[in-house]
Amino acid sequence: MSGNAEHETDQAPVAPTNDDHGHILVVDDDPQIRLLVARFLQRHGYQVTGAPDGRAMMEALAHSAIDLIVLDLMLPGRSGVELCRDVRATSHVPIVMLTARSEESDRITGLEGGADDYVTKPFSPRELLARIRALLRRARAGQGAAVSQASALVTFDGWRMDLRRRELQSPAGTLIDLSTGEFDLLLAFVEHANRVLSREALMQFAKARMSDDPFDRTIDVQISRLRRKLEADASGGQLIKTVRGAGYLFASTIGYHEGQSA
C-alpha cells in the first residue's frame, strides 16, 4: 500500500465491482483501518480512495470526483474538524466523521464543523455502510430536486426533456408519450448519466412503487418500454445500455437549461 508514503493517497488492492454506487474517500492515518474500510466498501460496490492526512485528502478532492468522505477526527497535522471546515467552505459533499472519543462534546464539535454524521471507534463496518448509504440517498435526492427546480429543460443527443410540462420531444420534434413511471425513470437516468446503476438504485431514484422482492421485474419492464421509445426515434446508438451482472447505464452528455421551458 502506498499509504505508508507521506501525503500519498492509496487504492485498496480489491477491484471495485461494476455496480458503482459512488466514490468514497477514506481519510485515516491508520493504514489498517483504511484497508479494512476500503475492502468492505468495495465488496458492496463502491470505489474507494484512501488518504493518511489532510494534504493527501485535499489532493484527492482536487483530482477525483468524490461522493462522500469518511474522515477521522484525530489526524497528524490538521484535525478532522479543521479539514471538515475547509471542505465545507467550497463543497457540500457528505462527510462521516470517525472518532475514537465518545464524549458528547467531541461529537457536537464534529457536527458543528460541518460533518453530516459520525461513527465512534471501534465501529462496525455494517453500521458505517448503513450511514454512508443513507447520506448518499439524501444527497442524491437533493441533487435531483435541485436539478428539477433550477432547470426547465434538459437536452441529450438531440432530445428535449421539459421538466415543468413533463414532456419529451425527439430529435425529429415528435412528442413522445411517456407514462408517469417512464418519465420518472428517464429523469433518474438523466440525473445519473454515465454511471452504472443497479435495479435497486433505479427504484430508489425513480421512487417507483414496486415490491421489495429483489426478483421483481417491474423496473426491467419499464426500462424495456422506455428503451424502445427512445430507440424508435434515435438517429443512432443506444442510450440505455445493459451492463451485464451490474445494471444499466445511460450513455449521453446532458445539458441543463434554466429559464423558460421550450
Side-chain angles (χ1 to χ4, degrees), residues 125-140:
R126 290 187 178 277
E127 179 188 359
L128 178 61
L129 176 63
R131 292 179 183 271
I132 287 173
R133 283 173 168 168
L135 281 176
L136 286 176
R137 280 197 300 269
R138 287 200 327 240
R140 288 165 176 170

Side-chain angles (χ1 to χ4, degrees), residues 22-91:
H23 190 171
I24 310 298
L25 175 60
V26 179
V27 187
D28 197 301
D29 60 327
D30 187 333
Q32 295 303 315
I33 290 180
R34 294 201 307 274
L35 182 61
L36 169 68
V37 172
R39 282 180 168 170
F40 185 80
L41 293 180
Q42 286 182 325
R43 286 201 299 270
H44 288 81
Y46 295 89
Q47 181 183 353
V48 182
T49 294
D53 55 26
R55 181 172 174 178
M57 165 184 163
M58 293 304 179
E59 289 177 355
L61 289 171
H63 295 95
S64 302
I66 301 298
D67 296 296
L68 183 143
I69 303 171
V70 176
L71 178 60
D72 188 25
L73 177 66
M74 302 299 293
L75 289 170
R78 307 195 70 206
S79 72
V81 172
E82 292 175 303
L83 293 170
C84 187
R85 288 175 178 152
D86 287 347
V87 171
R88 279 292 167 264
T90 58
S91 173

